[in-house]
Amino acid sequence: MAEAIEWLADGTPYSPRFGDRYRSELGGLAQSREVFLHGCGLPAAWANEPQWRILETGFGLGLNFLVTWQAWKADPRRPRLLHFVATEAHPASAADVLRGAAAHPELLPLAEQLQARLWGLLPGFHRLVFEGGQVLLTLCIGDTQAVLREQPFEADTVYLDGFSPSKNPGIWDIHTLKAVARCCRRGTRIATWTVARSVVDGLAQCGFVVEKTAGLPPKRDNLQGQFNPRWAPRKAPQATAAPPPRPSTCVVIGAGLAGAATAASLGRRGWQVVVLDACEAPAGGASGLPAGVLVPHVSPDDSLLSRLSRCGVRATLQQAAALLQEGTDWRATGVLERRMDGSPGLPADGSEAGRDWNEIASPQQLAQALLANGEASACWHHQAGWIKPARLVQALLTQPGIHWQGGAQATRLKRDAATGVWRVLDAKGHSLAQADMVVVAAGYASRLLAGHGSGGLPLQAIRGQVSWGLRSGDGPAGPPDGADEKAFPAFPVNGHGIFIPCVPTGAGPMWLAGASFERDQDDTQRRQQDQQANFERLQTLLPTTAQHLAAAFQSGGPRAWAGVRCASPDRLPLVGPVDAALQPGLWVNTAMGSRGLTFAVLCGELLAARLHGEPLPLENRMAQALAPKRFSPLTLIGTRLNTGK
Ligand SMILES: Cc1cc2nc3c(=O)[nH]c(=O)nc-3n(C[C@H](O)[C@H](O)[C@H](O)COP(=O)(O)OP(=O)(O)OC[C@H]3O[C@@H](n4cnc5c(N)ncnc54)[C@H](O)[C@@H]3O)c2cc1C
Ligand SMILES: C[S@@+](CC[C@H](N)C(=O)[O-])C[C@H]1O[C@@H](n2cnc3c(N)ncnc32)[C@H](O)[C@@H]1O
């Protein structure tokens, strides 16, 4: 259940849990503007800065966020990127958030956009994207002290807004204030409306210099201050040691989903990016897949992969909605996942936020997939659908700051030690491009290009082939027009391979079945035996559909597309610096495995966030789980020593 909120007669939202109002009865808007925005010297403080990062404890109904976003929109000197990170232990419903802004018509258009993105707020981080990626709201769902441990960034501004200390002492206790202080740099401005002795003392103990200022009536005082400890502040363990770079120049090698997403994330931050690819057109590798499914992973224990995949699905859905044509390039149809072992596969919590993501498939959904109820076990993914990856690649490459260059096969990378400039060379030793930074996103070819100590990155090639055809039949054995309506599911189905029933193309609607999975093979020849294997998979996944397509498969009717996935030993992507000490400025973003449509956009944002020391779009432990250094020879030796292996 979303947090219960009572609406008092004067229209103020009230928390029965804490016995306190969410905002001042005399005007939430005035409180947001005066206490928090102006109390922290905004908007003047952020003028002409490349980025501004705000941390709020207690997101509540998002009023402070909306007011800040509105001020950002109205400011001609606004920063290029506004990060708003908010903690929230008890998320309110989207409807209550909208209702909370209803009295303020100037905020309503923003509140409606916010409301539309407030779904599925399970514990963990949720990155909500606005203004084409220039306003990033990271909701950290959980207790403030705990979630800030997973968010090692330096805030420029802090809003403390967690109910009255007498009603909710936990969010003001010294441990939570210390966690806030760890997210501050010297000079970070802080504001709140409470002047409780315990808060003033606690803030002073944590290194904040605070003063009382005139309050909004009926309150006499507010509190403002800045982080200026008498000691050298201790950094969060994972915070970047070096000052983050100013946007400059970057070469990205590889114009698949990973490279294009990296380029777009850097371009949005003001980088000039050259994207090189060996092929003449973008998406010439695995991202040339005609269509694939975007679907979260589920597991009873909600594993790291499951949580990561949810962050990724949310990122891709938002990016697709912003850049692509729904219905033509992608569609959030929902996906039915067959559970071949009969287990539901879902975590047992069954919360409302969890059900926004997935639930046990209903008999009606099973029927729409032509699966008889009782014979099949399945879960239904609400936040899922199909997408044409090449369309997303093309759209990402048109983002500002990106220059695409095809027919450019990188063979070697060379860094000038004196200037720090990287040069990307072709087979003849000619320079293809040069820049301050290189990101290798070349799929399986990243293995040697990015190096790793002397042995290269530990990547595996996994060949795959899909079979596809036109719904109205594209060969002599194809089904006649309209005859396939009752034989195809109403939406994509996965769980034993995938089947996508209907993707529009210039020649008519297409179906697609796949995919084969052959380790350590990197050729893209189309093979008849893989067509047969796809058909056999389909017979298990969707027997009725397979029966309908049997004649087409037997006559060799369906077409084929083959590509090479690139996977790491633990099947998680590799995102981050290759070896910050030995090869500064060389980063990698690859190993998307079988889930590039889910991971690539998120990984592009993660790379940019790590580079700039920005708030992370996912918990730090997940970011660390994706760091290439986990496979560096030294880390591996250390792991072996620690585990005695
Ligand atoms: C059959 C099949 C089905 C799949 N189905 C799904 C699905 O349903 N859902 C899903 O999420 N994922 C799916 N995937 C996985 C998904 O396609 C990949 O994870 C994703 O496309 C990888 O993107 P990438 O940018 O890392 O790699 P790629 O798209 O392979 O891009 C790498 C690029 O680097 C370029 N390059 C390589 N070497 C060099 C060089 N030396 N110099 C310059 N450029 C170079 C290549 O030309 C290529 O364009 C599928 C993959 C296959 C093969
Ligand atoms: C006063 S309201 C915040 C109002 C909000 N800033 C706004 O603009 O609408 C306080 C919020 O803090 C949340 N909260 C309380 N204790 C918390 C904790 N320990 N960690 C995170 N959030 C907490 C409450 O659920 C509530 O939503």
Side-chain angles (χ1 to χ4, degrees):
M1 277 289 285
E3 182 67 350
I5 290 177
E6 286 173 13
W7 293 85
L8 304 179
D10 64 6
T12 335
Y14 173 86
S15 163
R17 181 193 297 271
F18 291 99
D20 200 0
R21 293 166 186 263
Y22 276 79
R23 56 183 73 148
S24 157
E25 66 274 35
L26 290 168
L29 200 56
Q31 177 181 294
S32 287
R33 286 200 178 122
E34 290 312 315
V35 177
F36 293 109
L37 193 72
H38 301 162
C40 288
L42 294 174
W46 69 31
N48 302 322
E49 291 290 336
Q51 293 195 2
W52 201 257
R53 297 138 188 209
I54 298 179
L55 168 64
E56 173 176 59
T57 56
F59 181 71
L61 302 184
L63 192 63
N64 292 338
F65 167 64
L66 293 172
V67 162
T68 306
W69 177 10
Q70 191 199 30
W72 177 89
K73 254 179 114 64
D75 186 358
R77 297 191 301 161
R78 62 179 165 255
R80 175 188 279 272
L81 198 63
L82 174 66
H83 268 288
F84 196 101
V85 176
T87 68
E88 180 52 63
H90 311 288
S93 70
D96 277 331
V97 167
L98 188 62
R99 184 170 173 183
H104 312 298
E106 68 271 45
L107 295 182
L108 258 187
L110 306 186
E112 280 162 1
Q113 293 182 53
L114 173 61
Q115 178 217 20
R117 287 166 178 70
L118 287 176
W119 48 263
L121 299 181
L122 285 167
F125 291 7
H126 304 270
R127 168 66 59 84
L128 312 188
V129 179
F130 304 94
E131 306 287 352
Q134 285 185 277
V135 174
L136 300 175
L137 169 63
T138 310
L139 282 177
C140 304
I141 303 300
D143 174 66
T144 297
Q145 192 194 330
V147 294
L148 289 186
R149 253 185 252 129
E150 292 289 328
Q151 191 50 286
F153 78 109
E154 286 187 345
D156 300 302
T157 297
V158 176
Y159 301 166
L160 295 176
D161 193 12
F163 291 129
S164 146
S166 61
K167 305 278 174 64
N168 184 22
I171 201 170
W172 303 100
D173 73 15
I174 192 70
H175 305 293
T176 304
L177 295 181
K178 274 186 185 165
V180 170
R182 275 196 294 275
C183 291
C184 292
R185 58 168 167 79
R186 203 175 282 284
T188 297
R189 295 272 296 264
I190 192 161
T192 184
W193 39 261
T194 178
V195 291
R197 185 81 250 161
S198 59
V199 173
V200 173
D201 290 350
L203 286 171
Q205 200 181 326
C206 293
F208 293 94
V209 177
V210 292
E211 57 170 358
K212 286 182 191 169
T213 56
L216 270 182
K219 284 198 81 287
R220 264 216 324 256
D221 306 299
N222 291 325
L223 206 61
Q224 294 176 5
Q226 53 175 284
F227 188 58
N228 193 13
R230 278 175 279 113
W231 56 89
R234 228 182 49 203
K235 289 266 150 269
Q238 304 298 345
T240 41
R246 289 254 156 191
S248 60
T249 54
C250 177
V251 179
V252 172
I253 305 177
L257 279 170
T262 304
S265 289
L266 293 177
R268 264 198 294 277
R269 286 159 175 84
W271 288 72
Q272 291 301 313
V273 188
V274 174
V275 181
L276 301 178
D277 200 287
C279 296
E280 293 300 330
S287 307
L289 174 73
V293 291
L294 172 66
V295 64
H297 175 267
V298 288
S299 50
D301 61 348
D302 202 23
S303 65
L304 185 137
L305 176 61
S306 301
R307 285 175 286 134
L308 186 69
S309 75
R310 283 200 299 273
C311 291
V313 164
R314 193 188 280 277
T316 311
L317 285 175
Q318 294 182 90
Q319 191 70 93
L323 295 182
L324 299 183
Q325 190 78 39
E326 180 152 22
T328 308
D329 301 327
W330 73 293
R331 175 157 276 169
T333 47
V335 169
L336 185 118
E337 177 177 339
R338 280 204 66 181
R339 305 290 308 175
M340 305 312 288
D341 63 1
S343 76
L346 300 171
D349 90 324
S351 65
E352 196 177 310
R355 288 198 305 277
D356 282 352
W357 285 98
N358 28 49
E359 51 195 330
I360 293 174
S362 67
Q364 195 194 4
Q365 283 159 342
L366 287 170
Q368 285 180 297
L370 316 168
L371 295 165
N373 190 18
E375 277 174 33
S377 163
C379 82
W380 174 251
H381 296 281
H382 293 277
Q383 307 298 337
W386 58 262
I387 187 164
K388 295 177 185 168
R391 292 292 302 129
L392 185 55
V393 170
Q394 286 152 6
L396 288 165
L397 290 178
T398 62
Q399 297 306 293
I402 303 176
H403 173 76
W404 136 261
Q405 197 179 314
Q409 173 129 20
T411 308
R412 210 152 54 87
L413 310 178
K414 210 169 156 194
R415 181 171 179 271
D416 182 323
T419 60
V421 169
W422 283 92
R423 277 196 304 142
V424 180
L425 307 173
D426 67 12
K428 293 187 177 140
H430 296 145
S431 178
L432 291 168
Q434 61 176 47
D436 292 334
M437 177 174 178
V438 175
V439 179
V440 178
Y444 182 57
S446 310
R447 193 173 60 106
L448 294 176
L449 267 176
H452 204 259
S454 53
L457 292 174
L459 297 175
Q460 187 178 34
I462 305 172
R463 186 197 128 82
Q465 181 168 312
V466 289
S467 313
W468 65 274
L470 294 178
R471 282 282 293 247
S472 52
D474 58 347
D481 256 343
D484 55 11
E485 289 302 320
K486 293 199 186 70
F488 281 13
F491 32 70
V493 178
N494 73 341
H496 186 71
I498 55 166
F499 185 79
I500 308 177
C502 186
V503 173
T505 72
M510 164 183 89
W511 59 264
L512 183 144
S516 64
F517 196 89
E518 294 148 273
R519 293 185 179 85
D520 300 317
Q521 296 199 31
D522 62 358
D523 73 283
T524 53
Q525 293 291 319
R526 281 160 284 181
R527 297 181 189 154
Q528 190 49 41
Q529 77 250 35
D530 288 8
Q531 298 290 80
Q532 184 57 29
N534 283 338
F535 179 62
E536 282 163 17
R537 221 172 267 116
L538 185 62
Q539 283 180 308
T540 308
L541 184 70
L542 291 169
T544 310
T545 308
Q547 204 177 1
H548 180 72
L549 292 174
F553 270 99
Q554 272 152 22
S555 69
R559 319 223 182 136
W561 177 91
V564 179
R565 310 171 185 93
C566 160
S568 72
D570 59 12
R571 297 293 181 259
L572 296 176
L574 284 151
V575 188
V578 172
D579 185 329
L582 293 179
Q583 295 169 306
L586 178 60
W587 288 52
V588 67
N589 187 9
T590 193
M592 302 290 135
S594 301
R595 295 180 182 272
L597 283 58
T598 295
F599 288 151
V601 173
L602 175 71
C603 290
E605 277 298 283
L606 173 62
L607 183 144
R610 289 201 54 190
L611 180 64
H612 288 270
E614 289 174 20
L616 296 172
L618 39 67
E619 287 125 290
N620 189 39
R621 85 186 78 157
M622 289 198 233
Q624 294 306 317
L626 305 192
K629 70 167 189 253
R630 71 191 189 275
F631 296 123
S632 83
L634 284 178
T635 310
L636 289 173
I637 291 167
T639 312
R640 275 188 212 118
L641 288 176
N642 284 335
T643 57
K645 281 185 194 158

